[in-house]
Amino acid sequence: MPPESQEQTSIHGLRGLINRTAHKTALLSGLVAALFAAPAHANEMSDINKLMRSGQYAEALTKTDAVLAKHPRDAQMRFTKGLILAEQNRSAEAIAVFSKLTEDFPDLPEPYNNLAVLYAANGQYDKARASLDMAMRTNPTYATALENLGDVYAKLASQAYDKALQIDPGSNVPQPKLTLLRSLNGNATGGTVPRLASAAPGQAAQAQRDAKAKADAAAAEQQERARALATEKAAQQAAADKAAAEKAAIAKASADKAAADKAAAEKAAADKAAADKAAAEKAAAEKAAADRKKADKAAAEQKQKDKEQKEQAERLEKEKADKAARAEKEKAAQAEKQAAAEKAAQAKAAADKAKAAADADQDKNAVLASLNNWAKAWSDKDVRSYLAHYASDFETPKGATRKEWAEERRARIEDKGHITVKVSNAQVVIKGNTATVRYRQIYNSNRLTVDSRKTLVFVKQGNKWLIKQERSGG
């Protein structure tokens, strides 16, 4: 089977074409190598084809450019670069490559054919036709170009038909399936190319006739469709004209009825207006009589109301005098009661003050006792009793846990040979359940003697005063 016949696909699926047919790309034949001035080395071309088959188009392009840098006139390598650019959807660059090939090698049909495929993919069917005409001039028996040309002629006929019927060219109209060629073969076989190379002259001519017949048949089909649709359109227009006439007749009948209805409505409105006027005059007379009657009744009621208001004012005045007398009496009783209450409150305040002072003294003594017992437990190295003087929420230094702090204190106390802790000049300030004690502390052990000012903050928990905070300074 000829190589170009194995590479057929739709321009709609340009990417699909290259993916499905990359593995079929053939190296240049010895004859093609003789045609061109600087052919690519077989190994380099093989590497590029492998990269294309694996979809590594960027790497394939880089390798192709490297070869072209050494052999800028290599037609097959330039042709391959155009294919890679088309696969990468770089249509404008691919067109530029194939166009330059047609300038440098005007006798090669393949670049013209591929230009036509790219133009058709962009909807430029006139340019596609011109490129295929050039391909046919280089080789009138080129089967692929003949088939593509037939498809382009069919598409141009379809466009003309669509334009005549004012069909949106962007609608979903099927696109022609043009064949993109994957390799160069040239005209080195004496003016014939793969598919028709072995055919008899009569068969080649028959292929040309078949391609033309295909285009003519497509055009005839489009013309027949145009005639059928024109007939259908005329029938639809006739039906529309008939419907419009019927609609006009109905509209006239409706207008006549509306005029008659309007005249009847106007007469009914005039009759109603006269009746309304008579009714309004009667209602006005009746209202005047009712207003007089209402005014007489209102005058009588106002007289009675004035009498009742006078009697009520006299009652209120008497009640006001009585109320004032009672208020004066109650005021005197209230003053006496308030004086007694103030005397009792003063007595209670004095008692509370005395009790508070006694409680404060008692709390102060309890705090001092707790301070001294804490110092004694420390001096006695009674760690258990010493730790029991600290509250459960004692603020341990440096963020240590209660357990860590307790173990550290135990170790430091038990490590000393002897300890003596004396407290003096203790000053206690109590606010509620919190007591702050500032005092002088003399600490003595077999290793250290320290005389310093310290502050302890106690909290009352139950009946005990326990240490919540411990800091140096006073």
Side-chain angles (χ1 to χ4, degrees):
M1 181 179 292
E4 75 276 6
S5 66
Q6 298 174 1
E7 306 298 333
Q8 296 178 1
T9 187
S10 168
I11 59 169
H12 240 0
L14 188 55
R15 179 179 294 274
L17 164 83
I18 297 176
N19 287 339
R20 289 193 301 272
T21 61
H23 65 282
K24 299 180 182 178
T25 301
L27 298 176
L28 289 176
S29 66
L31 184 58
V32 174
L35 270 174
F36 305 118
H41 295 293
N43 289 339
E44 293 170 330
M45 193 66 220
S46 177
D47 292 343
I48 292 170
N49 284 334
K50 288 179 181 178
L51 290 171
M52 292 175 65
R53 284 195 295 272
S54 62
Q56 301 179 62
Y57 295 103
E59 294 82 351
L61 183 60
T62 299
K63 196 168 186 65
T64 300
D65 286 338
V67 175
L68 286 173
K70 300 176 182 178
H71 309 284
R73 292 278 299 170
D74 191 303
Q76 178 64 60
M77 195 59 64
R78 289 164 64 182
F79 187 83
T80 300
K81 180 176 180 177
L83 291 176
I84 295 172
L85 291 172
E87 169 59 26
Q88 292 179 317
N89 294 324
R90 296 160 65 176
S91 178
E93 296 175 65
I95 288 174
V97 170
F98 290 130
S99 295
K100 193 68 171 67
L101 272 173
T102 63
E103 294 174 8
D104 295 344
F105 302 95
D107 293 332
L108 293 178
E110 290 89 351
Y112 289 113
N113 180 84
N114 286 6
L115 272 177
V117 174
L118 293 171
Y119 284 142
N122 293 332
Q124 298 174 293
Y125 296 106
D126 286 327
K127 287 187 176 182
R129 178 183 60 187
S131 294
L132 289 169
D133 284 341
M134 292 300 298
M136 294 301 298
R137 289 180 188 179
T138 66
N139 189 336
T141 63
Y142 208 113
T144 302
L146 282 170
E147 291 178 2
N148 287 347
L149 185 60
D151 287 339
V152 169
Y153 274 123
K155 180 60 182 179
L156 288 171
S158 176
Q159 283 187 333
Y161 161 73
D162 292 343
K163 184 176 181 181
L165 296 183
Q166 297 181 343
I167 295 176
D168 181 7
S171 60
N172 294 326
V173 178
Q175 300 295 316
K177 295 181 173 61
L178 303 189
T179 300
L180 185 74
L181 295 174
R182 298 288 298 178
S183 63
L184 284 174
N185 293 281
N187 294 321
T189 57
T192 59
V193 172
R195 175 175 290 186
L196 300 180
S198 61
Q203 291 175 324
Q206 183 60 42
Q208 288 180 304
R209 289 193 296 272
D210 289 346
K212 185 175 184 305
K214 180 179 178 182
D216 292 342
E221 181 184 353
Q222 298 295 346
Q223 291 175 356
E224 182 61 29
R225 286 172 57 197
R227 283 194 294 271
L229 287 178
T231 301
E232 182 180 352
K233 186 175 181 181
Q236 291 175 348
Q237 184 61 46
D241 293 343
K242 181 180 179 182
E246 293 174 350
K247 183 177 179 181
I250 294 171
K252 184 176 184 304
S254 298
D256 293 342
K257 183 176 183 303
D261 291 344
K262 181 179 178 183
E266 290 174 349
K267 184 177 184 303
D271 294 343
K272 183 176 183 301
D276 291 344
K277 182 179 179 183
E281 292 173 349
K282 180 180 179 182
E286 292 175 349
K287 183 176 183 299
D291 290 343
R292 285 193 299 273
K293 184 176 180 181
K294 183 178 180 181
D296 293 343
K297 181 180 179 182
E301 290 175 349
Q302 184 61 41
K303 185 176 180 181
Q304 179 63 27
K305 183 178 181 182
D306 291 342
K307 180 181 178 182
E308 292 174 353
Q309 286 178 345
K310 182 179 179 182
E311 292 174 352
Q312 183 178 7
E314 290 173 352
R315 285 196 304 272
L316 289 175
E317 190 65 29
K318 184 176 182 304
E319 290 175 356
K320 183 177 180 182
D322 294 342
K323 183 176 181 182
R326 288 195 301 273
E328 192 64 29
K329 185 177 180 181
E330 290 174 356
K331 183 177 179 182
Q334 185 66 26
E336 183 178 352
K337 182 178 180 182
Q338 184 174 355
E342 289 176 353
K343 185 176 180 181
Q346 290 173 356
K348 184 177 183 300
D352 290 344
K353 185 176 180 181
K355 183 177 183 301
D359 290 343
D361 289 342
Q362 184 178 357
D363 285 339
K364 182 176 180 181
N365 292 333
V367 170
L368 290 173
S370 181
L371 174 66
N372 290 322
N373 290 335
W374 167 76
K376 184 178 184 306
W378 192 357
S379 298
D380 294 343
K381 297 175 62 178
D382 184 354
V383 177
R384 182 175 181 182
S385 177
Y386 170 81
L387 294 176
H389 281 79
Y390 287 86
S392 58
D393 56 349
F394 171 65
E395 298 176 6
T396 60
K398 300 180 181 179
T401 64
R402 175 62 178 253
K403 182 178 180 181
E404 291 171 345
W405 170 81
E407 291 299 326
E408 189 269 342
R409 293 301 300 153
R410 179 185 298 278
R412 293 184 65 179
I413 291 172
E414 292 178 347
D415 182 53
K416 306 297 187 296
H418 72 273
I419 296 175
T420 301
V421 181
K422 295 182 180 180
V423 297
S424 62
N425 300 330
Q427 297 177 353
V428 182
V429 177
I430 298 177
K431 291 183 179 180
N433 288 330
T434 301
T436 302
V437 182
R438 295 178 175 84
Y439 65 97
R440 179 184 178 189
Q441 176 178 294
I442 301 174
Y443 171 87
N444 181 271
S445 72
N446 58 312
R447 297 181 182 179
L448 179 67
T449 297
V450 179
D451 186 345
S452 61
R453 298 290 299 177
K454 293 194 68 175
T455 299
L456 294 181
V457 178
F458 288 80
V459 292
K460 191 174 185 179
Q461 295 181 350
N463 294 325
K464 295 181 179 181
W465 287 91
L466 301 176
I467 300 170
K468 181 178 181 179
Q469 190 182 99
E470 183 177 7
R471 59 178 180 263
S472 298

